[in-house]
């Protein structure tokens, strides 16, 4: 009941057992982080405010979803925990779920991702089944069992460098526990069955998409197709046999073959595997857990839904309709059912003049409640050079720029027809010269797709009868959407880095560096855009809007607690992917640098006399000493993040040091100096004054808040002058490395100075601007 006083935060500990500390009161240290109180106009859309729902990954890990502690007995007195790896003492899933509650308070729905494994890109040879990491030892407390299969009879995931390439399928009991735990927090559950392809390098499986004798390692599930993909020589596409090959992928599992026990759902034909068993098993398991709010009958099976058994018959789409009806009957009418289509899949198939709205039979089906789209559409095309066609937007981080590309830019106004066109930014307009329905070819034009009749075009001729889709009949949900914390990730949000996977690649024009801010701006732009009624119209056939943004699931939140994941790479080898990945754990509490700068200015009485619209970056934590001036606090941030402040038109204007010239000069265009004519004075500081080493002391953000150091050394000056700086800022290791490298570079560059006069026509130049004189750049 202690009163608050001048921002003091009280920590109260009750009934703490002291035995584990030798019956002494231990020392405690706390890091208390609050939201910045800046006056940025877009602050309402900070990252926590922008996220309404999350996808919970990794979808693999035998006990990654358990709320019961599970351990392996490795011998007398030797136990190894399977699901408790943090100092909190609760299971990894419980700890992560608690962190989700605290860090993303607006999150009201969780997509529970659970994976089985696919063995082959050829659909008729692809076995879909659960797998384990090893099949010799079961833990105490929760023996592994999935779909009636025990560990000893289960297939094992492949091993690479002595470690499983994935965690095993979560045990049935752990899935039930997770569903119950999520619902107890007041959140909705969308169940999301997920196929992980597990073929590794050196497999001898023929590639259906090429003439290669090996399939790519760990490929995307959307590449599952016929033994020879459509368009490839020898393909059975548009033949009766294609339907048979799809049927082989599906299997013959029937809802009547499943039976429930206390913690699992069994199956009467244990040796029969297939896609239908996969989906129907989890429908029955969700029912056993008390039900879920939504259920996806699949995701991103683009290669399957586009297979044809005749000219315009799509057997996989028909099969999904049957599954939707069966799942609805198992889970009841209150559970919303859908399929999560890839963003390149949802709107149809375009092939040699034909336009098929192949998924419309599914979207319009009475058992489908919403249109599911895994939305990784590009929302920028930034190149970061003077030739960049989008340069007039000033920065890739500009929210207005990103929002303008949600329903604009690539995939809406224009497209690239080749790699050469992409490289040179040769943008070709998207036009329907035959019927004036440009939107048919615009995958970003959700509004037109949603609000129009759909007429297929067979042999290029627009049909007179529309498909079963009724304009505006059902809401759209982004069953996945997100952006990696990676340079220029918004250019291609679907790109990711995972050295084990053949799908690993950088986004277009990316330099491969970490960038948490572009991820933050992506989510802020999406929320600000879709929560605006001008962009997201209300429906007339149901209660709601076109895009049900309250149920759009951000990819991704990890079921493993931060910072143990990604820090414990001995346990979780995929932790190395975190740095440049799509994860929100550990990033959701980041604050926009502009908001912190605005708060510091406000403390000095400056509120309207500042312009921080061009300050870009995230701040993980900053301790401002009350005895310091606002100028001193800003100096620390300026050093860490590389921005300058200049006075212009009666206001302080903040801007980043981007190194790009804003004014190009030639000596003949400089102003005269009285008695000297045109004079350019160049000077260079003595080498003895050169800084050869920069060392920074900071607080490490992604471990235990330890005070550590980072250093940069100029190779030939290692023994010369050193500059040491201590910053009261939380930084990641990569951020700290960037700070010292930039500081060292700037100290080297500052050895050379130049002085000249400019005509009054260039009064707009200000301190911090970069000019180019005769091809050489200088900062004022």
């Amino acid at each position: 009941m202690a009163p608050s006083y001048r921002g003091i935060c009280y920590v109260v500990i009750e009934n703490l057992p002291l035995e584990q500390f030798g019956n002494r009161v231990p020392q405690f240290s706390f890091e208390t982080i609050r939201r910045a109180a800046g006056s940025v106009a877009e602050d309402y859309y900070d990252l926590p405010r922008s996220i309404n729902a999350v996808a919970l990954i990794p979808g693999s890990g035998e006990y990654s979803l358990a709320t019961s502690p599970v351990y392996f007995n490795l011998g007398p007195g030797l136990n190894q925990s399977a699901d408790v790896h943090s100092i909190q003492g609760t299971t990894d899933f419980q700890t992560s779920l608690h962190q989700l509650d605290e860090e993303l308070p607006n999150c009201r729905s969780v997509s529970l991702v659970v994976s089985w494994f696919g063995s082959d890109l050829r659909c008729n040879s692809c076995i879909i089944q659960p797998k384990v990491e090893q099949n010799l030892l079961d833990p105490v407390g929760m023996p592994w069992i999935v779909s009636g299969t025990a560990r000893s009879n289960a297939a094992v995931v492949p091993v690479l460098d002595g470690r499983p390439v994935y965690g095993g399928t979560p045990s049935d009991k752990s899935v039930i526990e997770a569903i119950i735990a999520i619902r107890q927090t007041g959140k909705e559950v969308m169940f999301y069955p997920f196929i992980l392809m597990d073929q590794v390098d050196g497999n001898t499986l023929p590639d259906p998409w090429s003439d290669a004798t090996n399939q790519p390692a760990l490929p995307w599930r959307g590449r599952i197709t016929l033994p020879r993909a459509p368009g490839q020589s020898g393909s059975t596409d548009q033949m009766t046999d294609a339907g048979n090959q799809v049927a082989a992928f599906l299997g013959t599992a029937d809802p009547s073959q499943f039976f429930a026990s206390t913690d699992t759902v069994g199956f009467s034909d244990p040796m029969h595997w297939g896609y239908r068993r996969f989906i129907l098993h989890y429908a029955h398991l969700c029912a056993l857990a008390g039900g879920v709010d939504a259920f996806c009958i699949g995701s991103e099976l683009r290669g399957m839904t586009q297979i044809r058994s005749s000219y315009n018959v799509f057997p996989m789409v028909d099969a999904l309709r049957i599954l939707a009806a069966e799942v609805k009957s198992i889970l009841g009418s209150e559970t919303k059912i859908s399929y999560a289509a890839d963003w390149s899949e949802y709107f149809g198939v375009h092939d040699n003049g034909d336009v098929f709205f192949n998924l419309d039979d599914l979207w319009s089906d009475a058992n489908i409640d919403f249109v599911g789209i895994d939305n990784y559409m590009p929302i920028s095309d930034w190149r970061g050079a003077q030739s960049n066609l989008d340069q007039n937007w000033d920065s890739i981080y500009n929210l207005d720029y990103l929002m303008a590309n949600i329903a604009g830019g690539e995939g809406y106004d224009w497209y690239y027809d080749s790699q050469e066109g992409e490289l040179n930014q040769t943008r070709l307009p998207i036009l329907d010269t035959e019927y004036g329905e440009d939107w048919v070819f615009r995958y970003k034009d959700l509004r037109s797709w949603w609000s129009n009749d759909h007429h297929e075009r067979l042999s290029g001729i627009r049909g007179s009868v529309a498909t079963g889709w009724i304009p505006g009949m059902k809401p759209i949900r982004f069953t996945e959407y997100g952006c990696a914390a990676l340079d220029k990730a918004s250019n291609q949000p679907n790109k990711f880095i995972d050295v084990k996977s053949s799908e690993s690649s950088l986004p277009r024009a990316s330099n491969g560096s970490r960038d948490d801010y572009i991820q933050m701006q992506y989510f802020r732009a999406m929320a600000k855009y879709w929560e605006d009624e001008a962009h997201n119209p209300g429906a007339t056939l149901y209660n709601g809007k076109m895009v049900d943004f309250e149920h759009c699931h951000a990819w991704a939140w990890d079921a493993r607690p931060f910072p143990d994941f990604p820090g414990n790479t001995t346990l979780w080898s995929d932790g190395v992917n975190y740095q440049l990945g799509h994860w929100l754990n550990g990033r959701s509490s980041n604050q926009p640098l502009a908001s912190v700068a605005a708060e510091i200015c406000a403390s000095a009485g400056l509120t309207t006399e500042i312009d921080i619209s061009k300050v870009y970056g995230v701040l993980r934590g900053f301790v401002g000493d009350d005895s310091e001036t606002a100028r001193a606090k800003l100096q620390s941030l300026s050093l860490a993040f590389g921005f300058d402040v200049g006075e212009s038109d009666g206001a302080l204007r903040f801007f980043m040091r981007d190194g790009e010239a804003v004014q190009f000069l030639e000596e003949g265009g400089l102003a005269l100096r009285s008695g000297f004519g045109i004079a350019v004075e160049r000077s260079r500081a003595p080498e003895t004054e050169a800084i050869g080493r920069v060392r920074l002391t900071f607080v490490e953000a992604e471990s235990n808040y330890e005070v550590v150091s980072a250093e940069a050394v100029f190779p030939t000056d290692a023994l010369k002058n050193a500059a040491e700086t201590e910053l009261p800022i939380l930084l990641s290791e990569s951020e700290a490395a960037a700070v010292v490298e930039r500081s060292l570079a700037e100290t080297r560059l500052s050895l050379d100075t130049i002085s000249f006069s400019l005509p009054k026509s260039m009064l707009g130049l200000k301190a911090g601007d970069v000019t180019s004189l005769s091809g050489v750049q200088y900062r004022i």
Side-chain angles (χ1 to χ4, degrees):
M1 300 300 294
S4 60
Y5 178 72
R6 292 190 179 180
I8 291 177
C9 175
Y10 296 90
V11 178
V12 180
I13 301 174
E14 296 180 305
N15 301 323
L16 175 67
L18 296 180
E19 291 86 352
Q20 59 182 318
F21 306 110
N23 290 319
R24 298 178 181 178
V25 177
Q27 291 186 336
F28 295 95
S29 62
F30 299 90
E31 294 289 339
T32 304
I33 300 177
R34 65 166 173 83
R35 183 179 183 273
S39 58
V40 181
E42 294 89 357
D43 263 358
Y44 180 68
Y45 289 97
D46 64 2
L47 187 56
R49 166 66 182 80
S50 300
I51 305 296
N52 298 316
V54 298
L56 193 69
I57 61 170
S60 62
E62 295 171 1
Y63 301 100
S64 61
L65 302 179
T67 58
S68 299
V70 178
Y71 65 91
F72 289 93
N73 186 339
L74 303 181
L78 184 60
N79 293 327
Q80 178 179 300
S81 177
D83 61 351
V84 178
H85 299 101
S86 68
I87 61 172
Q88 282 82 352
T90 56
T91 68
D92 298 333
F93 177 79
Q94 288 175 305
T95 305
S96 179
L97 191 61
H98 178 69
Q99 292 174 342
L100 175 62
D101 273 339
E102 289 191 332
E103 296 187 23
L104 295 177
N106 276 12
C107 178
R108 294 292 178 264
S109 180
V110 172
S111 173
L112 187 62
V113 180
V114 178
S115 295
W116 282 17
F117 297 87
S119 62
D120 200 315
L121 290 180
R122 299 167 297 170
C123 64
N124 60 326
S125 302
C126 183
I127 300 174
I128 306 294
Q129 63 181 329
K131 293 188 177 182
V132 293
E133 296 162 38
Q134 51 81 25
N135 57 7
L136 299 176
L137 181 65
D138 248 336
V140 177
M142 192 184 297
W144 186 92
I145 184 168
V146 174
S147 193
T149 302
R151 180 183 299 275
S152 58
N153 296 322
V156 180
V157 296
V159 173
L160 188 64
D161 297 329
R163 305 178 68 169
V165 294
Y166 295 116
T169 299
S171 69
D172 278 354
K173 184 177 180 180
S174 72
V175 174
I176 292 174
E177 289 186 344
I179 292 171
I180 293 172
I182 294 170
R183 300 198 75 170
Q184 285 176 342
T185 67
K187 296 177 175 59
E188 296 182 12
V189 177
M190 181 178 79
F191 194 84
Y192 198 75
F194 197 97
I195 297 176
L196 288 170
M197 306 302 294
D198 63 4
Q199 54 268 63
V200 296
D201 274 332
N203 66 76
T204 57
L205 304 172
D207 181 20
W209 297 94
S210 71
D211 294 327
T213 56
N214 302 89
Q215 293 180 11
L218 309 183
W220 174 44
R221 61 197 180 280
R223 302 194 191 282
I224 303 174
T225 186
L226 297 170
R228 296 292 292 166
Q232 296 290 314
S233 175
S235 176
T236 57
D237 189 43
Q238 302 185 50
M239 299 180 186
T240 302
D241 200 36
N244 298 331
Q245 289 162 342
V246 170
F249 172 79
L250 292 164
T252 59
D254 185 83
S256 64
Q257 293 179 278
F258 295 87
F259 54 91
S261 60
T262 304
D263 299 319
T264 185
V265 170
F267 186 65
S268 62
D269 187 2
M271 299 307 294
H272 175 81
W273 300 106
Y275 187 78
R276 283 181 53 81
R277 180 176 175 181
F278 175 41
I279 300 302
L280 293 173
H281 166 74
Y282 283 113
H284 283 283
L285 193 68
C286 287
L288 183 61
V292 291
D293 300 277
F295 188 102
C296 287
I297 55 175
S299 68
E300 298 184 19
L301 294 174
R302 183 179 187 270
M304 294 295 299
T305 60
Q306 296 187 359
I307 291 172
R308 289 183 271 175
S309 57
S310 63
Y311 178 56
N312 60 350
V313 175
F314 296 85
M316 188 64 187
V317 177
D318 295 335
L320 289 173
R321 293 181 65 191
I322 294 171
L323 273 173
E326 292 169 335
V327 171
K328 179 75 80 170
S329 68
I330 295 167
L331 290 172
S333 60
E334 295 301 311
T335 300
K336 297 187 181 300
I337 309 298
S338 191
Y339 167 73
D342 187 63
W343 55 277
S344 64
E345 172 191 12
Y346 82 93
F347 64 99
V349 175
H350 299 170
D351 180 36
N352 294 323
D354 293 331
V355 175
F356 297 103
F357 291 95
N358 61 312
L359 288 176
D360 273 15
D361 284 346
L362 181 65
W363 299 140
S364 59
D365 191 284
N367 294 299
I368 294 294
D369 298 285
F370 61 89
V371 176
I373 302 175
D374 286 358
N375 182 355
Y376 294 100
M377 303 178 194
I379 63 169
S380 64
D381 185 38
W382 199 261
R383 304 303 173 97
Q386 294 294 339
S387 60
N388 182 8
L389 293 183
D390 293 347
Q391 196 71 33
N392 59 304
W393 288 99
D394 296 323
S395 171
I396 191 175
Y397 304 114
N398 186 328
L399 277 182
D400 291 333
Y401 169 61
L402 296 175
M403 290 169 60
N405 281 280
I406 291 175
E410 184 179 6
Y412 190 98
D413 298 312
W414 51 265
Y415 71 101
Y416 293 129
D417 68 343
S418 65
Q419 290 185 342
E420 182 181 3
E422 178 182 309
L423 181 64
N424 297 320
Q425 289 190 291
T426 305
R427 297 172 173 179
L428 304 177
I430 298 176
L431 298 173
D432 178 17
T433 57
E434 294 294 325
Y435 298 99
E437 293 180 324
D438 299 344
W439 63 269
V440 170
F441 304 98
R442 294 172 168 173
Y443 60 78
K444 277 187 183 176
D445 198 349
L446 294 178
R447 186 165 185 167
S448 294
W449 182 93
W450 179 77
S451 58
N452 279 290
D453 285 321
H454 299 170
H455 292 264
E456 295 190 327
R457 302 183 189 182
L458 307 185
S459 300
I461 306 301
R462 185 180 186 272
S464 58
V465 179
T467 69
W469 174 260
I470 298 172
M473 68 185 299
K474 295 175 185 178
I476 297 170
R477 292 185 180 182
F478 301 149
T479 37
E480 292 181 25
Y481 78 108
C483 177
L486 176 59
D487 176 63
K488 301 181 185 67
S490 53
N491 285 355
Q492 291 179 302
N494 60 317
K495 299 297 184 181
F496 63 92
I497 301 299
D498 181 351
V499 295
K500 294 185 296 184
S501 173
S502 57
E503 305 289 346
S504 177
S505 65
L506 290 172
R508 178 188 301 154
S510 174
N511 63 20
S513 63
R514 179 172 174 175
D515 188 350
D516 287 16
Y517 193 52
I518 192 58
Q519 183 189 56
M520 175 184 286
Q521 293 299 81
Y522 171 91
F523 282 115
R524 294 173 71 190
M526 291 289 280
K528 190 174 183 181
Y529 184 91
W530 290 115
E531 292 183 359
D532 185 343
E533 291 184 359
H535 304 135
N536 192 10
T540 57
L541 300 182
Y542 60 88
N543 183 25
K545 295 184 178 181
M546 176 183 73
V547 174
D548 179 8
F549 198 68
E550 292 296 311
H551 292 92
C552 290
H553 291 81
W555 190 275
W557 187 271
D558 205 290
R560 298 163 291 187
F562 184 88
D564 305 276
F565 177 84
N568 190 348
T569 53
T570 301
L571 177 65
W572 295 304
S573 61
D574 60 329
V576 297
N577 298 332
Y578 170 88
Q579 297 298 324
L580 306 177
H582 284 69
W583 283 270
L584 288 166
N585 311 62
R587 296 184 173 116
S588 57
S589 60
N590 291 346
Q591 296 293 293
L593 176 61
S595 298
V596 181
E599 178 178 327
I600 294 172
C601 289
S603 70
L606 295 173
T607 54
T608 60
E609 306 91 343
I610 61 171
D611 178 4
I612 54 175
S613 62
K614 294 185 179 181
V615 175
Y616 308 119
V618 297
L619 188 58
R620 306 176 194 282
F622 176 67
V623 182
D625 190 334
D626 288 341
S627 65
E628 284 187 322
T629 64
R631 182 189 183 98
K633 295 175 183 177
L634 290 173
Q635 184 71 21
S636 294
L637 296 179
S638 173
L639 178 63
F641 295 97
F643 66 81
D644 284 314
V645 188
E647 187 174 4
S648 177
D649 298 327
L652 288 180
R653 303 191 183 278
F654 293 68
F655 51 93
M656 307 303 295
R657 295 178 188 167
D658 57 14
E660 295 185 4
V662 299
Q663 185 71 54
F664 292 87
L665 308 170
E666 295 296 337
E667 292 194 13
L670 303 180
L672 299 174
R673 289 187 179 182
S674 178
F676 294 95
I678 295 177
V680 178
E681 299 177 4
R682 293 179 172 85
S683 62
R684 181 174 179 81
E687 285 292 331
T688 55
E689 297 180 9
I691 299 296
R693 183 188 301 267
V694 174
R695 183 180 298 112
L696 171 67
T697 302
F698 65 100
V699 182
E700 216 288 318
E702 293 180 344
S703 59
N704 294 320
Y705 295 119
E706 297 171 320
V707 177
V708 295
S709 296
E711 187 175 76
V713 180
F714 196 77
T716 60
D717 295 341
L719 301 178
K720 291 188 178 179
N721 302 326
E724 298 191 19
T725 304
E726 182 174 343
L727 294 178
I729 297 175
L730 268 67
L731 298 169
S732 68
E733 288 185 5
S734 59
E735 288 171 331
V739 171
V740 292
E741 288 168 6
R742 183 179 62 249
S743 297
L744 181 60
E746 289 181 351
T747 60
R748 305 296 304 183
L749 291 171
S750 64
L751 293 175
D752 294 299
T753 60
I754 190 171
S755 176
F756 51 85
S757 295
L758 292 174
K760 291 183 178 180
S761 60
M762 296 185 185
L763 277 173
L765 290 174
K766 57 187 179 298
D769 282 346
V770 176
T771 64
S772 176
L773 178 61
S774 301
V776 181
Q777 290 185 330
Y778 298 91
R779 174 176 286 116
I780 301 174

